[in-house]
Amino acid sequence: MFQGALRDRPLSPPEWLEAALDWVYPRRCCLCESLGVEPICERCRLEFPVWQDRLGAPHGPLDWSYGLYPYWGRASQAVRRLKYQRETALARPLAAELAAARAALPYHDMVVPVPIHQSRHRERGFNQAELLTEGMPDKLVSWDCLVRIRKTRPQVELSAAERLSSLRDAFRADPQALNRHVLLVDDVLTTGGTAVACASALKIAGAASVGVLTYCVGN
């Protein structure tokens, strides 16, 4: 059957390799494991939570926040599998949703993924926030405006007060942020400690405003 499908028409080398891989390793939904082409199947899409109160109030140096989903159910499963189980196929559909959400956001002229420490990047192999900016205009995205200069413990292990303390002076922003309206991008906003610390560094560098767009918002 597989060979017959390949004989239907000539395939270029990349297409042939992709077809062979699909036959040996059938594509599956990254959330429910059912067979299918898309990383998130239609059934799982229907199980994503609905949330209307998306725009958050100012929080210290952070001027606003916006999240697509509450951090539970299929939405939280998606970001956890991307981040901790390296299901990078999820990055494309999640990034597409975040890119589409930009139309509803306050004005911004720079997009900055929330950075992780270089040691964690080596360990994980990627920064999920960088993957989530891939659907946004290249001319807006800055990969080097903000850097994480100090490694901290994983935030999920800390209380709200400990998170704020551990993140103090953990980020440094480049002067290219001067007078810019910055949109931070990350996977999850919980206590807001990471976003606030990033916003503080950007404001010190002269940013005019800083908001954050995340896929999920939770506790």
Side-chain angles (χ1 to χ4, degrees), residues 83-219:
K83 187 173 182 177
Y84 299 118
Q85 298 182 28
R86 295 176 172 82
E87 292 277 8
T88 52
L90 286 165
R92 178 174 55 83
L94 271 59
E97 287 187 78
L98 289 169
R102 287 184 55 244
L105 302 181
Y107 174 76
H108 53 277
D109 56 13
M110 177 182 282
V111 175
V112 176
V114 170
I116 59 177
H117 193 267
Q118 58 182 356
S119 62
R120 188 153 292 144
H121 196 291
R122 287 195 298 268
E123 175 186 321
R124 187 176 297 160
F126 60 89
N127 174 5
Q128 69 281 354
E130 291 181 355
L131 297 181
L132 294 177
T133 64
E134 289 186 353
M136 300 187 183
D138 290 340
K139 63 181 181 180
L140 293 185
V141 181
S142 173
W143 304 97
D144 59 357
C145 178
L146 190 65
V147 296
R148 193 162 193 151
I149 57 177
R150 186 166 56 81
K151 186 178 181 180
T152 59
R153 288 171 56 191
Q155 298 302 289
V156 294
E157 300 176 359
L158 306 176
S159 67
E162 288 172 332
R163 292 181 190 191
L164 291 174
S165 177
S166 72
L167 289 164
R168 189 172 296 115
D169 300 323
F171 299 93
R172 182 177 62 220
D174 190 270
Q176 64 180 291
L178 182 65
N179 296 327
R180 305 298 290 274
H181 298 271
V182 180
L183 170 64
L184 291 167
V185 175
D186 207 359
D187 55 346
V188 181
L189 181 76
T190 51
T191 62
T194 299
V196 167
C198 290
S200 178
L202 288 162
K203 289 289 183 72
I204 290 172
S209 67
V210 182
V212 62
L213 169 64
T214 59
Y215 197 74
C216 288
V217 176
N219 298 320

Side-chain angles (χ1 to χ4, degrees), residues 17-29:
L17 178 59
E18 184 173 347
L21 289 173
D22 285 346
W23 183 70
V24 178
Y25 304 104
R27 298 187 193 186
R28 297 177 180 271
C29 171

Side-chain angles (χ1 to χ4, degrees), residues 31-48:
L31 303 183
C32 71
E33 306 295 335
S34 62
L35 291 175
V37 175
E38 295 301 322
I40 303 176
C41 70
E42 291 184 10
R43 180 175 179 179
C44 285
R45 276 289 182 195
L46 293 174
E47 296 176 4
F48 272 59

